[in-house]
Amino acid sequence: DFSIELAEAATGQRALQLASAWQELQDAQVLRDEAFAHDLVADAVRRGVPPVVARRVHAQCAHWLAAQGVDPARVAVHWMRGGDPSQAGQAFMAAGRRARQAARTQESAALFAMAAQAFDSAGMPEQRFAARCERGISLVYADFGDQAKRELQDLLAGAGSDAQRLRVGRVLVDLLSERSESLEAVQAGEAALAQARRLGDHDALLRLACHVATALCRLGRAGDAMTLLLPLQHWVDTQG
């Protein structure tokens, strides 16, 4: 991400003021145009910067790069090294959503895991839980595999409120239904449906009911599926 514009922003000096120092670094083969001459040189420079100064410079870089619309995953790394895990978590979340929209589901799962770690460092449990939920969704989209199931079950077991349990339960029931694990889908769905009713969340209630009804039909329990769905018909009709 290094550039003359970033150097101006970080040092508070214009390019003309930096000209002599820039030329000196090029003559010493530290810089080549707007980049370090070699990765080893870059590493040596980084090691030579006092940590307290490095944190400040990383934070300045994060501010400037975010304003330029740079990939939030790269901005997040600067926030972490700048000692602001809260901002880093938000940037990793944005990067995870961007990756998932581009169907890079494994990458998005990894980015959401980084967001969860950042929020954990920042002492933000609610945001950490939300990041782990988003990771679970990405794992489901990736391959409907056992890893997604295990992580969602662990997350559900650690949920601290009906709202959190419902958030995870919706994803888990979707996964179990897609895996044709119908009995587990019904069991998990019934618990999530009860939470949706307690919270008055009609949208979650409807989506869960559809998944559970599908699982019930696979188990030969179409009558139970109809009993579950029919009470929701009036609400659906009024929602357009």
Side-chain angles (χ1 to χ4, degrees):
D1 293 314
F2 189 58
S3 67
I4 184 65
E5 293 85 3
L6 178 54
E8 288 179 304
T11 62
Q13 294 183 313
R14 306 303 299 169
L16 285 175
Q17 296 173 288
L18 297 171
S20 60
W22 204 281
Q23 186 62 53
E24 184 180 343
L25 290 168
Q26 286 189 323
D27 291 344
Q29 297 185 338
V30 174
L31 293 180
R32 183 180 297 122
D33 294 328
E34 291 189 56
F36 282 105
H38 194 280
D39 287 344
L40 293 176
V41 175
D43 290 339
V45 171
R46 276 194 288 267
R47 287 195 300 271
V49 178
V52 65
V53 176
R55 283 195 297 273
R56 175 61 179 157
V57 174
H58 277 299
Q60 290 173 311
C61 291
H63 275 292
W64 188 84
L65 292 169
Q68 309 309 308
V70 169
D71 181 356
R74 282 153 52 198
V75 179
V77 174
H78 285 292
W79 282 126
M80 284 299 291
R81 292 175 179 169
D84 195 335
S86 172
Q87 291 274 17
Q90 297 295 344
F92 277 129
M93 289 290 282
R97 294 188 188 100
R98 177 183 287 191
R100 190 161 66 202
Q101 287 170 354
R104 301 195 308 270
T105 50
Q106 292 287 2
E107 179 185 340
S108 72
L111 288 165
F112 287 128
M114 293 176 191
Q117 291 171 358
F119 287 134
D120 188 43
S121 297
M124 302 170 70
E126 289 289 334
Q127 290 81 354
R128 175 178 179 269
F129 187 90
R132 291 186 65 198
C133 283
E134 294 297 330
R135 171 175 165 78
I137 292 170
S138 290
L139 289 173
V140 170
Y141 288 161
D143 61 7
F144 304 108
D146 291 339
Q147 182 184 6
K149 182 178 177 180
R150 284 193 302 271
E151 292 201 24
L152 289 169
Q153 288 173 329
D154 288 345
L155 194 54
L156 185 60
S161 67
D162 274 346
Q164 289 186 342
R165 282 186 282 272
L166 177 58
R167 184 170 186 172
V168 182
R170 289 178 62 169
V171 184
L172 179 58
V173 173
D174 183 10
L175 172 63
L176 294 170
S177 179
E178 290 291 341
R179 286 165 61 100
S180 297
E181 296 177 0
S182 301
L183 186 58
E184 285 188 69
V186 171
Q187 292 169 343
E190 287 174 345
L193 285 166
Q195 289 144 11
R197 292 188 184 98
R198 283 195 293 271
L199 294 170
D201 190 334
H202 288 88
D203 180 71
L205 189 63
L206 175 64
R207 294 176 187 276
L208 281 163
C210 289
H211 285 305
V212 174
T214 299
L216 286 167
C217 287
R218 286 178 179 149
L219 293 170
R221 297 168 56 187
D224 291 337
M226 290 294 291
T227 300
L228 176 62
L229 291 173
L230 282 174
L232 301 174
Q233 183 174 344
H234 175 72
W235 183 82
V236 172
D237 290 341
T238 61
Q239 300 308 304

